[in-house]
Amino acid sequence: MTKEISLPVLILHHALPCLLFLLLGVSNAASELEDYQTYIIRMDHSHKPASFLTHESWHRSVLKTLSYPANDEEMMLYSYNHVIHGFSARLTALQLSEIEKSSAHLATYPESFGKLFTTHSPKFLGLKGKSGLLPAASYGEGIIIGIIDTGIWPESDSFNDRGMPPVPERWKGQCENGTAFSPSVCNKKLIGARSFSKGLQAAGINISKEYDYNSTRDFFGHGTHTSSTAAGNHVPGVSHFGYARGTARGVAPRAHVAMYKVLWATDTEKSAASDVLAGMDQAIADGVDVMSLSLGFGQTPFFKDVIAIGSLSAIRKGIVVVCAAGNDGGRQTIYNGAPWITTVGAGTLDRSFHSTITLDNGLTFKGISYFPQSVYIADAPLYYGKDDLNKATCNLGALNPDEVAGKVVICDNTTKIDVYGQMEEVDRVGAHAAIFLTDTSDLYSDDYSIPSLTLPTSSGILIREYVTGRKKPMLKTMRFVLTELGTKPAPQVASFSSRGPDPISPGILKPDILAPGVDVLAAVAPNIPYMEMGNYELVTDYALYSGTSMAAPHVAGVAALLKAVHQDWSPAAIRSAIMTAAYTIDNTGSILKDENTGLLATPLDFGAGHINPSKAMDPGLIYDINFQDYVEFLCGLGYNEKQMKIVLQQSQWNCSQEPTDLNYPSFIAIFTNETVKNFSRVVTYVGEKEASYRAFLDCPMGMKIRAEPSILTFTEKYQKQAFVLSVEIDGNAPGMIYGNLKWIDQHNHTVSSPIVAIKT
């Protein structure tokens, strides 16, 4: 497993964790009269005087009219034209109050900061080169994926342009010059590279070469990893220090990549919301088709969530927006839950990494290991501190170098390993290798400073019997760098993946979908050591990362493939196809399980299920949503006029007199005193032949489900049919219960939707 690393405002759930922005105001000394602070200012664009040709000229004029104005070039950071209407600027409290008195002012957001969350996976997704979605989509040819992240390492072979088509003529982006980054490194694969750091620097946080490059070049490696996961070109013979060896390629290997660097590795590990918003704004202007964000702000209403607002602007222009769900792991921890965003949780792959040990009595055990060398240890003495519980668990400072130097130490744990204690301890005392007996290891791939592996405590019984029954227990052999495919059960819901229900909008089931997010091999930046071993620092250009940050670009890549096949589909149609084609059965024939508990997971954990790209290409039916549907959804949230203006970025809208359901491909019913909930849906037929769909309902005890009508007949493509789903629970139903609706036709299409009922 790879460690969840915290970096700037990002939920970089790569067990490297996805950008979680903490709303912190940062003051910046700038005036003798008063301190300046950065604010994002939302303006009602309908108030722009006709005398101003552009919104930016209007915004600058507003700043020039303030009391004690500085030069507007110094005050203004960004003027936004696509994600929102407004600007970000450094203002005093007095200047801010003057702007807020204007009738054109809609909202103010103090600058916010946060931290980063964070070859086999395309095959695991069923993406094969000769059939299915991948060749049908020409491998994503002509589609542009915009990645909002930490930058990119352009020299990585994943971004070579062998076999790539020309840059689309509609592309308006560019590659910027900067520190250690020349526009000449861009090509037909990497067609855009821009960086945004004005907000960060306005807060007094400097970008120095010690911590990052003042350009689009990736210092940390996260953006390189997500980009190559979504759309990396074919690169044979790569591995993580020998593990997972094979050909690396992105989900859409012929799609173009545009990087928008908004996250920075600084001495204070911060990134600014104003920069993230500027990156999204530019991506829309440049003409991306898909936008992937492994980041997000805190859980806040949509009218305060700049990612939600900016994403709605992108959706309105036909851009598919994919975001990581977060790495908090518990209930109600979802980020990026707006219904116009495709929200992605993380699942495991059917691949594991091992070491084997054989004792001199012939017993052999296989354990988990990421030790980055093909080491072979033979005929080594074993050490087990059985006379002292503290020694047996290898607690920090417990071992005596004179007793254990040169031996293989057994660390007996009934709970989890203390990464920074026990591994450090066996390394400190000069142990030859270590065996950790535990069921809940939190060792990560960069923690293996000496040869070591973890074994389940069930294996510990036999090992303890052996070492306590021999005067000189010996390890016969210990082997490393073993990769195993077909691991069962898989996929599972990753332990760190955020779960629903969404606290902001519990009436929409989130996450939407599960995708590979554990031990994903992809390109990284080789500029900094991945780990240390003794006196050596190890670097690599491909590494295993984990997190919902890794899951999101998988879905972005699939969205690119679907968009290449179905160019007229809306973002909602693409999400619907992905969701209704998902599967919920693992490779043992069981409902998907929770990696942490081993128990059956629920749609609150995995949404519609695990992504199944090739079936999504021909879903049969789609649940489409247009912009007015989102307006109706927002009307139903009870927002006031000003809050609606903020989210919709328009002065006028129409709300129906009666509440309407959002035409979502999943169902969640929140029960208080009532026992019956009805949902209205409309499905659009996207098949080629006449078809008749029959409703099949999975109803657990305590729940009744009825679809009316139960048969939907279609005689032509794009024909629409409405139905009502009724969900009823009885008094004995548990607090959370779920079922399923499947529409099945005679052409072997299955259109599946989860149904969740929660009693409050």
Side-chain angles (χ1 to χ4, degrees), residues 544-691:
L544 298 168
Y545 284 0
S546 298
T548 55
S549 280
M550 283 61 253
H554 278 91
V555 177
V558 172
L561 296 177
L562 291 174
K563 199 169 182 69
V565 175
H566 302 288
Q567 298 180 19
D568 59 338
W569 279 13
S570 69
I574 289 174
R575 180 181 57 227
S576 174
I578 288 172
M579 291 175 65
T580 60
Y583 64 88
T584 59
I585 304 299
D586 67 20
N587 58 4
T588 70
S590 166
I591 294 291
L592 301 180
K593 295 182 176 67
D594 187 311
E595 181 192 31
N596 195 39
T597 65
L599 301 176
L600 297 181
T602 77
L604 293 177
D605 308 313
F606 54 68
H610 194 280
I611 193 169
N612 191 354
S614 287
K615 283 196 173 182
M617 179 176 62
D618 181 22
L621 303 175
I622 57 172
Y623 294 77
D624 207 355
I625 303 174
N626 59 41
F627 188 77
Q628 179 59 31
D629 295 326
Y630 291 126
V631 173
E632 298 286 357
F633 166 78
L634 292 166
C635 292
L637 296 181
Y639 289 174
N640 62 34
E641 182 178 352
K642 186 173 184 179
Q643 292 165 346
M644 290 290 287
K645 278 186 179 181
I646 291 170
V647 180
L648 296 176
Q649 299 198 73
Q650 57 191 47
S651 300
Q652 295 181 337
W653 59 89
N654 293 316
C655 290
S656 298
Q657 296 300 314
E658 297 295 329
T660 58
D661 293 330
L662 189 63
N663 200 41
Y664 218 72
S666 58
F667 303 83
I668 182 167
I670 311 295
F671 291 95
T672 50
N673 298 322
E674 67 274 59
T675 59
V676 180
K677 291 276 188 180
N678 294 319
F679 300 88
S680 298
R681 294 289 191 270
V682 175
V683 289
T684 303
Y685 180 55
V686 292
E688 299 296 336
K689 303 176 182 178
E690 293 184 2

Side-chain angles (χ1 to χ4, degrees), residues 85-332:
H85 293 295
F87 59 90
S88 53
R90 297 174 64 243
L91 304 167
T92 66
L94 174 61
Q95 292 169 338
L96 175 63
S97 68
E98 291 177 7
I99 292 176
E100 291 180 330
K101 291 175 183 177
S102 167
S103 59
H105 174 266
L106 282 178
T108 298
Y109 306 107
E111 181 68 286
S112 54
F113 297 88
K115 56 186 179 182
L116 243 151
F117 289 173
T118 272
T119 59
H120 175 67
S121 55
K123 290 183 179 179
F124 183 68
L125 294 178
L127 292 170
K128 301 176 182 178
K130 295 182 179 180
S131 63
L133 176 59
L134 199 58
S138 299
Y139 304 87
E141 189 169 310
I143 302 300
I144 303 167
I145 304 177
I147 309 288
I148 315 294
D149 217 298
T150 65
I152 198 164
W153 194 266
E155 292 82 9
S156 170
D157 207 22
S158 286
F159 308 117
N160 76 75
D161 62 358
R162 292 187 296 270
M164 287 294 298
V167 178
E169 293 184 2
R170 58 188 168 82
W171 177 242
K172 300 175 183 176
Q174 60 179 272
C175 288
E176 293 179 340
N177 193 32
T179 304
F181 198 100
S182 167
S184 64
V185 299
C186 289
N187 53 26
K188 290 183 290 185
K189 165 60 73 174
L190 177 61
I191 65 173
R194 298 174 184 256
S195 64
F196 303 86
S197 61
K198 291 180 181 178
L200 193 76
Q201 298 188 60
I205 302 171
N206 295 321
I207 299 170
S208 66
K209 62 182 180 180
E210 180 182 359
Y211 298 104
D212 207 336
Y213 301 98
N214 193 8
S215 69
T216 316
R217 181 170 293 278
D218 190 5
F219 186 88
F220 180 62
H222 187 275
T224 301
H225 199 281
T226 55
S227 300
S228 58
T229 298
N233 215 331
H234 296 78
V235 184
V238 304
S239 70
H240 174 95
F241 299 103
Y243 294 98
R245 186 175 299 279
T247 297
R249 67 171 171 84
V251 175
R254 284 188 190 164
H256 306 281
V257 171
M259 170 55 65
Y260 300 87
K261 181 175 179 178
V262 300
L263 298 153
W264 302 82
T266 67
D267 56 344
T268 54
E269 294 188 344
K270 286 183 178 179
S271 291
S274 58
D275 294 332
V276 175
L277 207 56
M280 295 179 69
D281 195 71
Q282 190 63 58
I284 295 173
D286 289 346
V288 304
D289 299 299
V290 178
M291 194 183 297
S292 182
L293 299 92
S294 288
L295 58 93
F297 288 93
Q299 297 170 322
T300 186
F302 300 136
F303 59 84
K304 293 183 178 180
D305 186 343
V306 293
I307 296 295
I309 296 168
S311 297
L312 185 57
S313 297
I315 294 294
R316 196 170 189 176
K317 297 178 183 297
I319 300 169
V320 180
V321 180
V322 179
C323 289
N327 286 356
D328 289 357
R331 286 276 179 258
Q332 295 186 305

Side-chain angles (χ1 to χ4, degrees), residues 359-380:
L359 307 179
D360 70 356
N361 66 353
L363 286 175
T364 297
F365 302 91
K366 180 174 66 176
I368 301 297
S369 180
Y370 296 82
F371 185 70
Q373 288 186 11
S374 185
V375 172
Y376 178 76
I377 297 174
D379 301 322

